[in-house]
Coordinates of all heavy atoms in Angstrom, one line a residue:
H27 N 38.7 -85.5 -17.8 CA 37.5 -84.9 -17.4 C 36.7 -86.0 -16.7 O 36.6 -87.1 -17.1 CB 36.8 -84.3 -18.6 CG 35.6 -83.6 -18.3 ND1 35.6 -82.4 -17.5 CD2 34.3 -83.8 -18.6 CE1 34.3 -82.0 -17.4 NE2 33.5 -82.8 -18.0
G28 N 36.0 -85.5 -15.6 CA 35.1 -86.5 -14.9 C 35.9 -87.5 -14.0 O 35.3 -88.4 -13.5
L29 N 37.1 -87.2 -13.7 CA 37.9 -88.1 -12.9 C 37.9 -87.6 -11.4 O 37.8 -86.4 -11.2 CB 39.4 -88.1 -13.4 CG 39.6 -88.6 -14.8 CD1 41.1 -88.6 -15.1 CD2 39.1 -90.1 -14.9
F30 N 38.0 -88.5 -10.5 CA 38.1 -88.2 -9.1 C 39.3 -87.5 -8.8 O 40.4 -87.9 -9.4 CB 38.0 -89.5 -8.3 CG 38.4 -89.4 -6.9 CD1 37.5 -88.8 -6.0 CD2 39.6 -89.9 -6.4 CE1 37.9 -88.7 -4.6 CE2 40.0 -89.7 -5.1 CZ 39.1 -89.2 -4.2
D31 N 39.4 -86.5 -8.0 CA 40.6 -85.7 -7.7 C 40.6 -85.5 -6.2 O 39.6 -85.2 -5.6 CB 40.6 -84.4 -8.5 CG 42.0 -84.0 -8.8 OD1 43.0 -84.6 -8.2 OD2 42.2 -83.0 -9.6
F32 N 41.8 -85.4 -5.6 CA 42.0 -85.0 -4.3 C 41.9 -83.5 -4.1 O 42.1 -82.8 -5.2 CB 43.4 -85.4 -3.7 CG 43.5 -86.9 -3.5 CD1 44.6 -87.6 -3.9 CD2 42.5 -87.7 -3.0 CE1 44.7 -89.0 -3.8 CE2 42.6 -89.0 -2.8 CZ 43.7 -89.6 -3.2
Y33 N 41.9 -82.9 -3.0 CA 42.0 -81.5 -2.7 C 43.3 -81.1 -3.3 O 44.3 -81.8 -3.1 CB 41.9 -81.2 -1.2 CG 42.0 -79.8 -0.9 CD1 41.0 -78.9 -1.2 CD2 43.1 -79.3 -0.2 CE1 41.1 -77.5 -0.9 CE2 43.3 -78.0 0.0 CZ 42.3 -77.1 -0.2 OH 42.4 -75.8 0.1
L34 N 43.4 -79.9 -3.9 CA 44.6 -79.5 -4.6 C 45.1 -78.1 -4.2 O 44.2 -77.2 -4.2 CB 44.4 -79.6 -6.1 CG 45.4 -79.0 -7.1 CD1 46.6 -79.9 -7.1 CD2 44.8 -78.9 -8.4
I35 N 46.3 -78.0 -4.0 CA 46.9 -76.6 -3.8 C 48.0 -76.5 -5.0 O 48.9 -77.3 -5.1 CB 47.7 -76.4 -2.5 CG1 46.7 -76.6 -1.3 CG2 48.3 -75.0 -2.5 CD1 47.3 -76.5 0.0
E36 N 47.8 -75.6 -5.9 CA 48.6 -75.5 -7.0 C 49.5 -74.2 -6.9 O 49.0 -73.1 -6.6 CB 47.8 -75.5 -8.3 CG 48.6 -75.5 -9.6 CD 47.7 -75.7 -10.8 OE1 46.5 -76.0 -10.6 OE2 48.2 -75.6 -11.9
T37 N 50.8 -74.3 -7.2 CA 51.7 -73.2 -7.2 C 52.6 -73.2 -8.4 O 52.7 -74.3 -9.0 CB 52.6 -73.2 -6.0 OG1 53.4 -74.3 -6.0 CG2 51.7 -73.2 -4.7
K38 N 53.1 -72.1 -8.8 CA 54.0 -72.0 -10.0 C 55.4 -72.5 -9.6 O 56.1 -73.0 -10.5 CB 54.0 -70.6 -10.5 CG 52.7 -70.2 -11.1 CD 52.8 -68.9 -11.8 CE 51.5 -68.4 -12.3 NZ 51.1 -69.0 -13.6
K39 N 55.8 -72.3 -8.4 CA 57.1 -72.7 -7.9 C 57.0 -73.7 -6.7 O 56.0 -73.6 -5.9 CB 57.9 -71.5 -7.5 CG 58.3 -70.5 -8.5 CD 59.1 -69.4 -8.1 CE 59.4 -68.4 -9.2 NZ 60.1 -67.3 -8.7
A40 N 58.1 -74.5 -6.5 CA 58.1 -75.4 -5.3 C 58.0 -74.5 -4.0 O 58.7 -73.5 -3.9 CB 59.3 -76.2 -5.3
Q41 N 57.3 -75.0 -3.0 CA 57.1 -74.4 -1.8 C 57.2 -75.4 -0.6 O 56.9 -76.6 -0.9 CB 55.9 -73.6 -1.6 CG 55.8 -72.4 -2.5 CD 54.5 -71.6 -2.2 OE1 53.8 -71.8 -1.3 NE2 54.2 -70.6 -3.1
S42 N 57.7 -75.0 0.5 CA 57.7 -75.9 1.7 C 56.2 -76.3 2.0 O 55.3 -75.6 1.8 CB 58.4 -75.3 2.9 OG 57.6 -74.3 3.4
I43 N 56.1 -77.5 2.6 CA 54.8 -77.9 3.1 C 54.2 -76.9 4.1 O 53.0 -76.6 4.0 CB 54.9 -79.3 3.7 CG1 55.4 -80.3 2.8 CG2 53.5 -79.7 4.2 CD1 54.6 -80.5 1.4
E44 N 55.0 -76.4 5.0 CA 54.5 -75.4 6.0 C 54.0 -74.2 5.3 O 52.9 -73.6 5.7 CB 55.7 -75.0 6.9 CG 56.1 -76.1 7.9 CD 56.9 -77.2 7.2 OE1 57.5 -77.0 6.1 OE2 57.1 -78.3 7.8
K45 N 54.6 -73.7 4.2 CA 54.2 -72.6 3.5 C 52.8 -72.8 2.8 O 51.9 -72.0 2.7 CB 55.2 -72.1 2.5 CG 54.8 -70.9 1.7 CD 55.0 -69.7 2.6 CE 54.9 -68.4 1.8 NZ 54.7 -67.2 2.6
L46 N 52.7 -74.0 2.2 CA 51.5 -74.4 1.5 C 50.3 -74.5 2.4 O 49.2 -74.0 2.1 CB 51.7 -75.8 0.8 CG 52.5 -75.8 -0.4 CD1 52.7 -77.3 -0.9 CD2 52.0 -75.0 -1.5
V47 N 50.5 -75.0 3.7 CA 49.3 -75.2 4.5 C 49.0 -73.9 5.4 O 47.9 -73.8 5.8 CB 49.5 -76.4 5.4 CG1 49.7 -77.6 4.7 CG2 50.7 -76.2 6.4
E48 N 50.0 -73.1 5.4 CA 49.8 -71.8 6.2 C 48.7 -71.0 5.7 O 48.6 -70.6 4.5 CB 51.1 -71.0 6.1 CG 51.2 -69.7 6.9 CD 52.5 -69.0 6.6 OE1 53.5 -69.5 7.2 OE2 52.5 -68.0 5.9
G49 N 47.7 -70.7 6.5 CA 46.6 -69.8 6.0 C 45.6 -70.5 5.2 O 44.6 -69.9 4.7
N50 N 45.7 -71.9 5.0 CA 44.8 -72.6 4.2 C 43.7 -73.2 5.0 O 43.9 -73.9 6.0 CB 45.5 -73.7 3.4 CG 44.6 -74.5 2.5 OD1 43.8 -75.3 3.0 ND2 44.8 -74.3 1.2
E51 N 42.4 -72.8 4.8 CA 41.3 -73.1 5.6 C 41.1 -74.6 5.8 O 40.9 -75.2 6.9 CB 40.0 -72.5 5.1 CG 38.8 -72.7 6.0 CD 39.0 -71.9 7.3 OE1 39.7 -71.0 7.4 OE2 38.3 -72.3 8.3
F52 N 41.4 -75.4 4.7 CA 41.2 -76.9 4.8 C 42.3 -77.4 5.8 O 41.9 -78.3 6.6 CB 41.5 -77.5 3.4 CG 41.4 -79.0 3.4 CD1 40.2 -79.6 3.5 CD2 42.6 -79.7 3.3 CE1 40.1 -81.0 3.5 CE2 42.5 -81.1 3.3 CZ 41.3 -81.7 3.4
F53 N 43.5 -77.0 5.7 CA 44.5 -77.5 6.6 C 44.4 -77.0 8.0 O 44.9 -77.6 9.0 CB 45.9 -77.3 6.0 CG 46.3 -78.2 4.9 CD1 46.2 -77.7 3.6 CD2 46.5 -79.5 5.1 CE1 46.5 -78.5 2.5 CE2 46.8 -80.4 4.0 CZ 46.8 -79.9 2.7
K54 N 43.9 -75.8 8.2 CA 43.7 -75.2 9.5 C 42.7 -76.1 10.3 O 42.8 -76.2 11.5 CB 43.0 -73.9 9.4 CG 44.0 -72.7 9.2 CD 43.2 -71.4 9.4 CE 44.0 -70.2 9.0 NZ 43.1 -69.0 9.0
R55 N 41.7 -76.7 9.6 CA 40.7 -77.5 10.3 C 41.0 -79.0 10.4 O 40.2 -79.8 10.8 CB 39.4 -77.3 9.7 CG 38.9 -75.9 9.8 CD 37.6 -75.9 9.2 NE 36.9 -74.5 9.3 CZ 35.7 -74.3 9.3 NH1 34.8 -75.3 9.1 NH2 35.2 -73.1 9.5
S56 N 42.2 -79.4 10.0 CA 42.6 -80.8 10.0 C 44.0 -80.9 10.5 O 44.7 -80.0 10.6 CB 42.4 -81.4 8.6 OG 43.2 -80.7 7.6
T57 N 44.3 -82.2 10.7 CA 45.7 -82.5 11.1 C 46.3 -83.4 10.0 O 45.7 -84.3 9.5 CB 45.8 -83.3 12.5 OG1 45.0 -84.5 12.4 CG2 45.3 -82.4 13.6
W58 N 47.5 -83.1 9.7 CA 48.2 -83.9 8.6 C 49.1 -84.8 9.3 O 49.8 -84.4 10.2 CB 48.7 -83.1 7.5 CG 49.4 -81.8 7.8 CD1 49.0 -80.7 8.3 CD2 50.8 -81.6 7.6 NE1 49.9 -79.7 8.5 CE2 51.1 -80.3 8.1 CE3 51.9 -82.3 7.2 CZ2 52.4 -79.7 8.0 CZ3 53.2 -81.8 7.1 CH2 53.4 -80.5 7.6
S59 N 49.2 -86.0 8.7 CA 50.0 -87.1 9.4 C 51.2 -87.5 8.6 O 51.9 -88.4 9.1 CB 49.1 -88.3 9.7 OG 48.5 -88.7 8.5
G60 N 51.3 -87.0 7.4 CA 52.5 -87.5 6.6 C 52.6 -86.8 5.3 O 51.6 -86.3 4.8
V61 N 53.8 -86.7 4.8 CA 54.0 -86.1 3.5 C 54.7 -87.1 2.6 O 55.7 -87.7 3.0 CB 54.9 -84.8 3.6 CG1 55.2 -84.2 2.3 CG2 54.3 -83.8 4.5
G62 N 54.2 -87.4 1.4 CA 54.7 -88.3 0.5 C 55.9 -87.8 -0.3 O 56.3 -86.6 -0.2
K63 N 56.4 -88.7 -1.1 CA 57.5 -88.4 -2.1 C 57.0 -87.4 -3.2 O 55.8 -87.2 -3.3 CB 58.1 -89.6 -2.7 CG 57.2 -90.3 -3.6 CD 57.9 -91.5 -4.2 CE 57.0 -92.2 -5.3 NZ 57.6 -93.3 -6.0
I64 N 57.9 -86.9 -3.9 CA 57.6 -86.0 -5.0 C 57.4 -86.9 -6.2 O 58.3 -87.7 -6.5 CB 58.7 -84.9 -5.3 CG1 58.8 -84.0 -4.0 CG2 58.4 -84.2 -6.5 CD1 59.9 -83.0 -4.2
Y65 N 56.3 -86.7 -6.9 CA 56.0 -87.3 -8.2 C 56.2 -86.4 -9.3 O 55.7 -85.3 -9.3 CB 54.6 -87.9 -8.2 CG 54.3 -89.0 -7.3 CD1 54.1 -88.8 -5.9 CD2 54.3 -90.3 -7.8 CE1 53.8 -89.9 -5.1 CE2 54.0 -91.4 -6.9 CZ 53.8 -91.1 -5.6 OH 53.5 -92.2 -4.8
K66 N 56.9 -86.8 -10.4 CA 57.0 -86.0 -11.6 C 56.1 -86.6 -12.6 O 56.1 -87.8 -12.9 CB 58.4 -86.1 -12.1 CG 58.6 -85.2 -13.4 CD 60.1 -85.3 -13.8 CE 60.3 -84.3 -15.0 NZ 61.7 -84.4 -15.4
H67 N 55.1 -85.8 -13.1 CA 54.1 -86.3 -14.0 C 54.1 -85.4 -15.2 O 54.0 -84.2 -15.2 CB 52.8 -86.2 -13.4 CG 51.7 -86.9 -14.1 ND1 51.6 -88.2 -14.4 CD2 50.5 -86.3 -14.7 CE1 50.6 -88.5 -15.1 NE2 49.9 -87.4 -15.2
I68 N 54.4 -85.9 -16.4 CA 54.5 -85.1 -17.6 C 53.2 -85.3 -18.5 O 52.8 -86.4 -18.8 CB 55.7 -85.6 -18.5 CG1 56.9 -85.5 -17.6 CG2 55.8 -84.9 -19.8 CD1 58.2 -86.0 -18.2
L69 N 52.6 -84.2 -18.7 CA 51.4 -84.1 -19.6 C 51.9 -83.5 -20.9 O 52.9 -82.9 -21.0 CB 50.3 -83.3 -19.0 CG 49.8 -83.7 -17.6 CD1 48.9 -82.7 -17.0 CD2 49.1 -85.0 -17.7
S70 N 51.0 -83.5 -21.9 CA 51.4 -83.0 -23.2 C 51.7 -81.5 -23.2 O 52.6 -81.1 -23.9 CB 50.3 -83.3 -24.2 OG 49.1 -82.7 -23.8
H71 N 51.1 -80.8 -22.3 CA 51.2 -79.3 -22.3 C 51.9 -78.8 -21.0 O 52.1 -77.6 -20.9 CB 49.8 -78.7 -22.4 CG 48.9 -79.1 -21.3 ND1 48.3 -80.4 -21.3 CD2 48.4 -78.4 -20.3 CE1 47.5 -80.4 -20.2 NE2 47.5 -79.3 -19.6
Q72 N 52.2 -79.7 -20.0 CA 52.9 -79.2 -18.8 C 53.6 -80.3 -18.1 O 53.2 -81.5 -18.2 CB 52.0 -78.4 -17.9 CG 50.9 -79.2 -17.3 CD 49.9 -78.4 -16.5 OE1 48.9 -78.2 -17.0 NE2 50.3 -77.8 -15.4
H73 N 54.6 -79.9 -17.2 CA 55.2 -80.9 -16.4 C 54.8 -80.6 -14.9 O 54.9 -79.5 -14.5 CB 56.7 -80.8 -16.5 CG 57.3 -81.2 -17.8 ND1 58.5 -81.7 -17.9 CD2 56.7 -81.2 -19.0 CE1 58.7 -82.0 -19.2 NE2 57.6 -81.7 -19.9
L74 N 54.2 -81.6 -14.3 CA 53.8 -81.4 -12.9 C 54.8 -82.1 -11.9 O 55.3 -83.1 -12.2 CB 52.5 -82.1 -12.7 CG 51.3 -81.7 -13.6 CD1 50.1 -82.5 -13.3 CD2 51.1 -80.2 -13.5
M75 N 55.0 -81.4 -10.8 CA 55.7 -82.0 -9.7 C 54.6 -82.0 -8.5 O 54.1 -81.0 -8.1 CB 56.9 -81.1 -9.3 CG 57.9 -80.9 -10.4 SD 58.6 -82.5 -10.9 CE 59.8 -82.8 -9.7
A76 N 54.3 -83.2 -8.1 CA 53.3 -83.3 -7.1 C 53.7 -84.0 -5.8 O 54.6 -84.9 -5.9 CB 52.1 -84.1 -7.7
R77 N 53.1 -83.6 -4.7 CA 53.4 -84.3 -3.4 C 52.1 -84.4 -2.7 O 51.3 -83.5 -2.7 CB 54.4 -83.4 -2.6 CG 54.6 -84.0 -1.2 CD 55.7 -83.2 -0.6 NE 57.0 -83.8 -0.9 CZ 58.2 -83.3 -0.7 NH1 58.2 -82.2 -0.1 NH2 59.3 -84.0 -1.0
F78 N 51.9 -85.6 -2.1 CA 50.6 -85.9 -1.5 C 50.8 -85.7 0.0 O 51.8 -86.2 0.6 CB 50.1 -87.3 -1.8 CG 49.8 -87.4 -3.3 CD1 50.7 -87.8 -4.2 CD2 48.4 -87.2 -3.7 CE1 50.4 -87.9 -5.5 CE2 48.1 -87.4 -5.0 CZ 49.1 -87.7 -5.9
I79 N 49.8 -85.1 0.7 CA 49.8 -84.9 2.1 C 48.8 -85.8 2.7 O 47.6 -85.6 2.3 CB 49.7 -83.4 2.5 CG1 50.7 -82.6 1.9 CG2 49.6 -83.3 4.0 CD1 50.5 -81.1 2.1
S80 N 49.1 -86.6 3.7 CA 48.0 -87.5 4.3 C 47.4 -86.7 5.4 O 48.0 -86.1 6.2 CB 48.7 -88.8 4.9 OG 49.3 -89.5 3.8
I81 N 46.1 -86.8 5.5 CA 45.3 -86.0 6.4 C 44.6 -87.0 7.4 O 44.2 -88.1 6.9 CB 44.2 -85.3 5.7 CG1 44.8 -84.3 4.7 CG2 43.2 -84.5 6.7 CD1 45.6 -83.2 5.3
N82 N 44.6 -86.7 8.6 CA 43.9 -87.5 9.6 C 42.4 -87.5 9.3 O 41.8 -86.5 9.4 CB 44.1 -86.9 11.0 CG 43.4 -87.8 12.1 OD1 42.2 -88.1 12.0 ND2 44.2 -88.1 13.1
S83 N 41.8 -88.6 8.9 CA 40.5 -88.7 8.3 C 39.4 -88.3 9.4 O 38.5 -87.7 9.1 CB 40.1 -90.1 7.8 OG 40.3 -91.0 8.8
S84 N 39.6 -88.6 10.7 CA 38.6 -88.3 11.7 C 38.6 -86.7 11.9 O 37.6 -86.2 12.1 CB 39.0 -89.0 13.0 OG 40.2 -88.6 13.5
A85 N 39.8 -86.1 11.7 CA 39.8 -84.6 11.8 C 39.1 -84.0 10.7 O 38.4 -83.1 10.8 CB 41.3 -84.1 11.9
V86 N 39.3 -84.6 9.4 CA 38.6 -84.0 8.3 C 37.1 -84.2 8.4 O 36.3 -83.3 8.1 CB 39.2 -84.7 7.0 CG1 38.4 -84.2 5.8 CG2 40.7 -84.3 6.8
L87 N 36.7 -85.4 8.8 CA 35.3 -85.7 8.8 C 34.5 -84.9 9.9 O 33.4 -84.7 9.8 CB 35.1 -87.2 9.0 CG 35.5 -88.1 7.8 CD1 35.4 -89.6 8.2 CD2 34.7 -87.8 6.6
S88 N 35.3 -84.5 10.9 CA 34.6 -83.7 11.9 C 34.5 -82.2 11.5 O 33.7 -81.5 12.2 CB 35.4 -83.8 13.2 OG 36.6 -83.2 13.1
T89 N 35.1 -81.8 10.5 CA 35.0 -80.4 10.0 C 33.7 -80.3 9.2 O 33.2 -81.3 8.6 CB 36.2 -80.0 9.2 OG1 36.3 -80.7 8.0 CG2 37.5 -80.1 10.0
E90 N 33.3 -79.1 8.9 CA 32.2 -78.8 8.1 C 32.5 -77.9 7.0 O 32.0 -76.8 6.8 CB 31.0 -78.2 8.9 CG 30.5 -79.1 10.0 CD 29.4 -78.5 10.8 OE1 28.8 -77.4 10.4 OE2 29.0 -79.0 11.8
L91 N 33.5 -78.4 6.1 CA 33.9 -77.6 5.0 C 33.0 -77.9 3.8 O 32.7 -79.0 3.4 CB 35.4 -78.0 4.6 CG 36.4 -77.7 5.6 CD1 37.7 -78.3 5.3 CD2 36.6 -76.2 5.8
K92 N 32.5 -76.8 3.3 CA 31.6 -76.9 2.2 C 32.3 -77.2 0.8 O 33.4 -76.8 0.7 CB 30.8 -75.6 2.1 CG 29.9 -75.4 3.2 CD 29.1 -74.1 3.1 CE 28.1 -74.1 4.3 NZ 28.0 -73.0 5.0
G93 N 31.7 -77.9 0.0 CA 32.2 -78.2 -1.3 C 33.1 -79.4 -1.4 O 33.6 -79.8 -2.4
F94 N 33.2 -80.2 -0.3 CA 33.9 -81.4 -0.3 C 33.0 -82.6 -0.2 O 32.0 -82.6 0.4 CB 34.9 -81.5 1.0 CG 36.0 -80.5 0.9 CD1 35.9 -79.2 1.4 CD2 37.2 -80.9 0.3 CE1 36.9 -78.3 1.3 CE2 38.3 -80.0 0.2 CZ 38.1 -78.7 0.7
K95 N 33.5 -83.7 -0.9 CA 32.8 -84.9 -0.8 C 33.8 -85.9 -0.1 O 34.9 -85.9 -0.4 CB 32.4 -85.5 -2.2 CG 31.2 -84.9 -2.8 CD 30.8 -85.5 -4.0 CE 29.3 -85.8 -4.0 NZ 28.9 -86.5 -5.2
Y96 N 33.2 -86.8 0.7 CA 34.0 -87.8 1.4 C 33.6 -89.2 0.9 O 32.4 -89.4 0.8 CB 33.9 -87.6 2.9 CG 34.3 -86.2 3.4 CD1 33.4 -85.2 3.6 CD2 35.7 -85.9 3.5 CE1 33.8 -84.0 4.0 CE2 36.0 -84.6 3.9 CZ 35.1 -83.7 4.1 OH 35.5 -82.4 4.5
Y97 N 34.5 -90.0 0.6 CA 34.3 -91.3 0.1 C 34.9 -92.4 1.1 O 36.0 -92.2 1.6 CB 34.9 -91.5 -1.2 CG 34.3 -90.6 -2.3 CD1 34.9 -89.3 -2.6 CD2 33.1 -90.9 -2.9 CE1 34.4 -88.5 -3.5 CE2 32.6 -90.1 -3.9 CZ 33.2 -88.9 -4.2 OH 32.7 -88.0 -5.1
S98 N 34.3 -93.5 1.2 CA 34.9 -94.7 1.9 C 36.0 -95.3 0.9 O 36.0 -95.0 -0.3 CB 33.8 -95.8 2.2 OG 33.4 -96.3 1.0
L99 N 36.8 -96.1 1.5 CA 37.8 -96.8 0.7 C 37.2 -97.6 -0.5 O 37.6 -97.5 -1.6 CB 38.7 -97.7 1.5 CG 39.8 -98.4 0.8 CD1 40.7 -97.3 0.2 CD2 40.6 -99.2 1.8
N100 N 36.1 -98.3 -0.2 CA 35.4 -99.1 -1.2 C 34.9 -98.2 -2.3 O 34.9 -98.5 -3.5 CB 34.3 -100.0 -0.6 CG 34.9 -101.2 0.1 OD1 36.0 -101.6 -0.2 ND2 34.2 -101.6 1.1
E101 N 34.3 -97.1 -1.9 CA 33.8 -96.1 -2.9 C 34.9 -95.5 -3.8 O 34.7 -95.4 -5.0 CB 33.0 -95.0 -2.2 CG 31.7 -95.3 -1.6 CD 31.1 -94.3 -0.8 OE1 31.9 -93.5 -0.1 OE2 29.9 -94.1 -0.8
M102 N 36.0 -95.2 -3.1 CA 37.1 -94.6 -3.8 C 37.7 -95.6 -4.8 O 38.1 -95.2 -5.9 CB 38.1 -94.2 -2.8 CG 39.3 -93.3 -3.4 SD 40.5 -92.8 -2.3 CE 41.2 -94.2 -1.8
K103 N 37.7 -96.9 -4.5 CA 38.2 -97.9 -5.4 C 37.5 -97.9 -6.7 O 38.0 -98.2 -7.8 CB 38.2 -99.3 -4.8 CG 39.3 -99.5 -3.7 CD 39.1 -100.8 -3.1 CE 40.2 -101.0 -2.0 NZ 40.1 -102.3 -1.4
R104 N 36.2 -97.6 -6.7 CA 35.4 -97.6 -7.9 C 35.4 -96.3 -8.8 O 35.0 -96.3 -9.9 CB 33.9 -97.9 -7.5 CG 33.8 -99.4 -7.0 CD 32.3 -99.7 -6.9 NE 31.6 -98.9 -5.9 CZ 31.4 -99.2 -4.6 NH1 32.0 -100.3 -4.1 NH2 30.8 -98.4 -3.8
L105 N 35.9 -95.3 -8.2 CA 35.9 -94.0 -8.9 C 37.0 -93.9 -9.9 O 38.1 -94.5 -9.7 CB 36.2 -92.8 -7.9 CG 35.1 -92.6 -6.9 CD1 35.6 -91.6 -5.8 CD2 33.9 -92.0 -7.5
P106 N 36.7 -93.3 -11.1 CA 37.8 -93.1 -12.1 C 38.8 -92.1 -11.6 O 38.4 -91.0 -11.0 CB 37.0 -92.6 -13.3 CG 35.8 -92.0 -12.8 CD 35.4 -92.7 -11.5
K107 N 40.1 -92.4 -11.7 CA 41.2 -91.6 -11.2 C 42.2 -91.3 -12.2 O 42.5 -92.0 -13.1 CB 41.8 -92.3 -10.0 CG 40.9 -92.6 -8.9 CD 41.6 -93.6 -7.9 CE 41.2 -95.0 -8.1 NZ 39.9 -95.4 -8.4
P108 N 42.8 -90.1 -12.1 CA 43.9 -89.7 -13.0 C 45.1 -90.6 -12.7 O 45.2 -91.2 -11.6 CB 44.3 -88.3 -12.6 CG 43.2 -87.8 -11.8 CD 42.5 -88.9 -11.2
V109 N 46.0 -90.8 -13.7 CA 47.1 -91.6 -13.5 C 48.0 -91.3 -12.3 O 48.5 -92.2 -11.6 CB 48.0 -91.6 -14.8 CG1 49.4 -92.3 -14.7 CG2 47.3 -92.2 -15.9
L110 N 48.2 -90.0 -12.1 CA 49.0 -89.5 -11.0 C 48.5 -90.0 -9.6 O 49.2 -90.5 -8.8 CB 49.2 -88.0 -11.0 CG 50.0 -87.4 -9.9 CD1 51.4 -87.8 -10.0 CD2 49.9 -85.9 -10.0
I111 N 47.2 -89.9 -9.4 CA 46.6 -90.3 -8.2 C 46.6 -91.8 -8.1 O 46.9 -92.4 -7.0 CB 45.1 -89.7 -8.0 CG1 45.2 -88.2 -7.8 CG2 44.4 -90.4 -6.9 CD1 43.9 -87.5 -7.7
L112 N 46.3 -92.5 -9.2 CA 46.3 -94.0 -9.2 C 47.7 -94.5 -8.8 O 47.8 -95.4 -7.9 CB 45.9 -94.5 -10.5 CG 45.7 -95.9 -10.6 CD1 44.7 -96.5 -9.7 CD2 45.4 -96.3 -12.1
Q113 N 48.8 -93.8 -9.2 CA 50.1 -94.3 -8.9 C 50.4 -94.1 -7.4 O 51.0 -94.9 -6.8 CB 51.2 -93.5 -9.7 CG 52.6 -93.9 -9.5 CD 52.7 -95.4 -9.9 OE1 52.4 -95.8 -11.0 NE2 53.3 -96.2 -9.0
Y114 N 50.0 -92.9 -6.9 CA 50.2 -92.7 -5.5 C 49.5 -93.7 -4.6 O 50.0 -94.2 -3.7 CB 49.7 -91.2 -5.1 CG 49.5 -91.0 -3.7 CD1 50.6 -90.9 -2.8 CD2 48.2 -91.0 -3.1 CE1 50.4 -90.7 -1.5 CE2 48.1 -90.9 -1.7 CZ 49.1 -90.7 -0.9 OH 49.0 -90.6 0.4
L115 N 48.2 -94.0 -4.9 CA 47.4 -95.0 -4.2 C 48.0 -96.3 -4.2 O 48.0 -97.1 -3.2 CB 46.0 -95.0 -4.7 CG 45.2 -93.7 -4.5 CD1 43.8 -93.7 -5.2 CD2 45.0 -93.4 -3.0
K116 N 48.6 -96.7 -5.4 CA 49.3 -98.0 -5.5 C 50.6 -98.0 -4.6 O 50.9 -98.9 -4.0 CB 49.5 -98.3 -6.9 CG 48.3 -98.8 -7.7 CD 48.6 -99.1 -9.1 CE 47.3 -99.5 -9.8 NZ 47.6 -99.9 -11.2
D117 N 51.4 -97.0 -4.8 CA 52.6 -96.8 -4.0 C 52.4 -96.9 -2.5 O 53.2 -97.5 -1.8 CB 53.3 -95.6 -4.3 CG 53.9 -95.5 -5.7 OD1 54.0 -96.6 -6.4 OD2 54.4 -94.4 -6.1
E118 N 51.3 -96.4 -2.1 CA 51.0 -96.4 -0.6 C 50.2 -97.6 -0.2 O 49.8 -97.7 0.9 CB 50.2 -95.1 -0.3 CG 51.0 -93.8 -0.4 CD 52.2 -93.7 0.5 OE1 52.1 -94.0 1.7 OE2 53.3 -93.4 0.0
S119 N 50.0 -98.5 -1.1 CA 49.3 -99.8 -0.9 C 47.8 -99.5 -0.4 O 47.2 -100.3 0.3 CB 50.0 -100.6 0.2 OG 51.3 -101.0 -0.3
I120 N 47.3 -98.4 -0.9 CA 45.9 -98.1 -0.6 C 45.0 -98.8 -1.6 O 43.9 -99.3 -1.2 CB 45.6 -96.6 -0.7 CG1 46.4 -95.9 0.5 CG2 44.1 -96.2 -0.5 CD1 46.6 -94.4 0.4
L121 N 45.5 -98.9 -2.8 CA 44.9 -99.7 -3.8 C 45.8 -100.8 -4.3 O 46.9 -100.6 -4.5 CB 44.4 -98.9 -5.1 CG 43.3 -97.8 -4.9 CD1 43.1 -97.1 -6.2 CD2 42.1 -98.4 -4.3
E122 N 45.3 -102.0 -4.5 CA 46.1 -103.1 -4.9 C 45.9 -103.3 -6.4 O 45.0 -103.1 -6.9 CB 45.8 -104.4 -4.1 CG 45.9 -104.2 -2.6 CD 47.4 -103.9 -2.1 OE1 48.3 -104.5 -2.8 OE2 47.6 -103.2 -1.2

């Protein structure tokens, strides 16, 4: 609770990236530049399979999507993060 989180699309079954972004307002207004590996994350009450999609930041910042907060890299480093996001950021050398 109270942890920083990325934009999330949650499904019950695995889906292709194209299917996930199809018809999604956030992705319609941005360009995505990469898809990461699949992360398996086990919680006490569920097993998660997660994949991170990299978004072109200039495209995202130029949109006017309500309900989103944007952080600089320095601000993001200070935010409390879930283990799954922290692992992704370390794997991508975003956080050292």
